[in-house]
Amino acid sequence: MKHLASLRVIIALALLALTSPAQAANRVALVVGNNDYKNVPKLQKAVNDARTMGDTLKQLGFSVMLAENQTRQAFSETLLAFDRALEPGDTAFFFYAGHGFEIAGQNFLLPTDVPAATEGQEELVRDASVLADRIIERLQNRKVRTAILVFDACRNNPFERPGTRAVAGGGGLAPMTQLPEGVFSVFSAGPRQTALDRLSNNDSNPNSVFTRAFAKELLQPGENLVQVAQHTRRIVSEMAETVSHKQFPVYFDQMVDDVFLNGNEKAQTAEISKPTDKPADTQVAALSPAAVPRPSKEDALNAPIALFSRHNGGWTMVFSIADPTLGISWRMGNSGDFRETGFLDTLDSRTRKRMPNPSVELAADTPAATFEVRYVDVSGNLQGPFPIKFDPEAALIRDQRKILDMTANSWLSFREFNGLLVYYTHLMSYRCAIREVKIGIDSAVPDQVLKLPPCDMKDPSAIPYEAKPYLKLSPSNRFVSVELTYRDGSVSEIKSFRR
């Protein structure tokens, strides 16, 4: 039975298109975790690893696309969505947890429906899998400035079976030594080594040994990528030694400059974090003493545009500004001090200075309000303040509607467990944008209403404990059709999902 992969995509950061490709400087991540393999051994922690990495990257300002249990087709569609989310100059982060396999020096990422293969069937594996080098090529085609690839996929040969000769290949992945400029890659174990999911049967940590260390190290302020990789390698190798296992994470670095994902060097981080009541010429977005604020107009051509996205920790407000900027500041309401947004680790090719951070994190309970934002242009003049209105309910509905449209192939998924189940967890997670769900069982016309829990603005993506996110079907049922009526009254096209 063909399994429809469950795809959860959470876009936490998506800037509107700017006037020039060089102006784009987003942080965009695709995080993939595959547990539920059909024809090779299942894994226990890959999905947890992906979720942990997704949460970690969101804290670092990334727009995160989270994909779980990807079939080959779903994997292809997810990579296409990742392509579309990237703009020239972006920082791209790709994380994969699941089975990986080396064939003739090339590394392949195995989708959940990869077929079982025996000796001489290497081409079967190649055709059914995702070539790691192809992902790098796609990122190059999108002209990203920085590409970071992390593979927690260095496991044993998944094709080994008692009494058969397996597809040629041992544990681990082949080294990626011929990376193009601007690419940084990390493997959870060295060449031909295998990575530990756990240290012992009593190890209750939900993450693999590598991911639990790597995720924490990424959040350390003032560490560049090389330092993150080196510290992770030391921690992981020491943990593996406690159970007499050799696991030595490796990295391959083709970066021109140091890349800091959580602030610049520690000394500079301390300076940036100082209060903003310093003299104007030493603030983060330093202004010339002669700079005079200009009056703002809500319909001004150079007024910033804001995009609001909801995630587990609260809201992300992202500014899109057409002009080159030297600094961005904001405040809630029309009184009080402005707060600087800080800077990214990327140089703006137009100003040759560090690019101001275009995003601001807001608490989950932030009320409806009007924010004011201003920026420093290339001449050192202060532009603004410009008013930006925030309506939490409208912003949530708009954000979740966009996600549902982008992930229409993941509204339903089938699973066999004591019978045939059809899961609609994805629809529950984004139910605040939905007024009604209709389904048709073995019918192209949806004629049954599927009840969803009410929207909870305090935790909109959480599924209530008592909610049942699946239906039990007859083993003879073959497909389910779905139609959504959104909160604004519009109706989706009818989607059919087959077993």
Side-chain angles (χ1 to χ4, degrees):
M1 182 183 68
K2 186 176 180 180
H3 175 70
L4 294 177
S6 172
L7 170 65
R8 295 178 58 232
V9 180
I10 302 175
I11 304 292
L13 178 63
L15 289 178
L16 298 178
L18 302 181
T19 57
S20 159
Q23 290 173 308
N26 300 339
R27 290 182 172 190
V28 184
L30 172 59
V31 178
V32 179
N34 284 345
N35 276 349
D36 294 335
Y37 286 91
K38 300 296 176 287
N39 304 306
V40 298
K42 295 180 183 293
L43 298 174
Q44 296 181 349
K45 297 187 177 183
V47 169
N48 284 341
D49 291 341
R51 293 174 180 176
T52 295
M53 283 300 303
D55 290 341
T56 299
L57 292 171
K58 279 187 282 186
Q59 294 181 57
L60 296 172
F62 280 85
S63 164
V64 177
M65 305 172 68
L66 174 61
E68 299 175 2
N69 295 321
Q70 298 282 275
T71 62
R72 183 64 179 87
Q73 180 178 343
F75 213 147
S76 296
E77 293 172 352
T78 299
L79 289 171
L80 182 60
F82 190 38
D83 288 344
R84 291 171 176 167
L86 293 167
E87 297 288 346
D90 285 351
T91 294
F93 197 115
F94 175 82
F95 175 86
Y96 174 80
H99 280 306
F101 194 70
E102 176 218 341
I103 299 177
Q106 291 184 308
N107 294 321
F108 293 86
L109 311 181
L110 307 188
T112 57
D113 58 351
V114 66
T118 57
E119 185 180 31
Q121 295 183 322
E122 286 80 6
E123 291 300 325
L124 191 63
V125 178
R126 283 192 177 100
D127 292 343
S129 303
V130 175
L131 179 63
D133 287 340
R134 175 60 181 143
I135 296 174
I136 297 174
E137 181 182 338
R138 295 171 75 137
L139 296 179
Q140 283 186 288
N141 291 340
R142 300 303 297 172
K143 296 181 172 56
V144 301
R145 178 182 176 86
T146 301
I148 306 163
L149 297 97
V150 181
F151 301 98
D152 192 359
C154 309
R155 293 173 168 85
N156 290 323
N157 186 340
F159 301 104
E160 289 181 343
R161 293 289 189 280
T164 66
R165 295 177 65 86
V167 172
L173 297 176
M176 300 177 73
T177 56
Q178 302 297 319
L179 295 177
E181 183 179 309
V183 178
F184 190 92
S185 181
V186 184
F187 285 17
S188 60
R192 313 301 185 269
Q193 293 179 351
T194 56
L196 293 172
D197 263 353
R198 53 187 176 177
L199 294 173
S200 70
N201 291 334
N202 297 323
D203 185 354
S204 61
N205 194 297
N207 295 123
S208 72
V209 174
F210 170 81
T211 296
R212 69 182 76 169
F214 183 69
K216 289 181 180 179
E217 206 60 39
L218 276 176
L219 296 176
Q220 294 299 318
E223 288 189 3
N224 61 33
L225 284 177
V226 171
Q227 292 170 322
V228 169
Q230 290 177 339
H231 295 166
T232 300
R233 179 169 60 188
R234 176 179 53 80
I235 295 169
V236 170
S237 63
E238 289 177 352
M239 285 194 292
E241 285 179 2
T242 64
V243 292
S244 301
H245 182 80
K246 188 171 291 295
Q247 181 177 342
F248 199 69
V250 296
Y251 65 92
F252 305 96
D253 179 16
Q254 287 298 322
M255 306 302 299
V256 176
D257 301 313
D258 287 339
V259 175
F260 298 85
L261 295 183
N262 192 16
N264 211 326
E265 295 175 274
K266 289 186 168 93
Q268 296 178 4
T269 303
E271 180 180 349
I272 290 174
S273 63
K274 291 179 182 178
T276 57
D277 58 357
K278 301 179 294 183
D281 60 352
T282 61
Q283 289 186 4
V284 174
L287 307 180
S288 165
V292 178
R294 299 179 181 180
S296 66
K297 293 183 179 180
E298 194 166 355
D299 58 351
L301 293 178
N302 59 348
I305 298 172
L307 195 69
F308 295 90
S309 294
R310 186 69 159 83
H311 49 83
N312 290 343
W315 291 94
T316 298
M317 175 171 58
V318 183
F319 306 119
S320 176
I321 302 174
D323 291 342
T325 60
L326 301 179
I328 303 172
S329 56
W330 67 284
R331 68 183 178 187
M332 181 183 290
N334 58 6
S335 61
D337 295 333
F338 280 86
R339 287 175 278 181
E340 309 291 344
T341 63
F343 293 88
L344 302 178
D345 58 357
T346 302
L347 289 180
D348 189 327
S349 60
R350 301 161 298 168
T351 64
R352 302 307 303 167
K353 298 180 182 295
R354 290 181 66 195
M355 186 170 289
N357 181 6
S359 65
V360 172
E361 296 299 317
L362 304 173
D365 58 354
T366 300
T370 297
F371 292 89
E372 289 190 336
V373 60
R374 62 185 187 180
Y375 66 90
V376 183
D377 65 21
V378 291
S379 300
N381 294 316
L382 185 64
Q383 300 287 344
F386 301 94
I388 292 176
K389 295 180 180 178
F390 173 56
D391 180 339
E393 184 174 1
L396 176 64
I397 293 172
R398 185 165 51 248
D399 187 46
Q400 290 201 353
R401 164 69 184 272
K402 178 178 63 180
I403 294 171
L404 286 167
D405 287 342
M406 293 176 61
T407 60
N409 291 332
S410 301
W411 290 350
L412 298 184
S413 63
F414 291 92
R415 183 173 301 174
E416 287 193 12
F417 182 78
N418 293 331
L420 178 62
L421 305 179
V422 58
Y423 278 82
Y424 51 97
T425 312
H426 195 76
L427 296 178
M428 276 196 177
S429 296
Y430 302 107
R431 63 189 179 277
C432 291
I434 301 173
R435 178 183 296 175
E436 185 180 69
V437 180
K438 284 188 175 181
I439 64 170
I441 300 174
D442 283 348
S443 169
V445 180
D447 56 2
Q448 302 179 37
V449 175
L450 189 63
K451 291 186 178 181
L452 299 178
C455 174
D456 181 1
M457 286 293 295
K458 295 181 180 179
D459 197 359
S461 297
I463 297 176
Y465 177 78
E466 66 278 3
K468 187 175 72 171
Y470 62 88
L471 293 174
K472 191 166 185 177
L473 303 183
S474 167
S476 62
N477 293 136
R478 307 307 301 170
F479 75 95
V480 177
S481 60
V482 186
E483 181 183 67
L484 305 184
T485 300
Y486 295 106
R487 288 281 291 273
D488 63 4
S490 61
V491 180
S492 73
E493 65 173 319
I494 297 175
K495 301 282 294 183
S496 290
F497 296 84
R498 294 186 178 275
R499 294 173 56 181

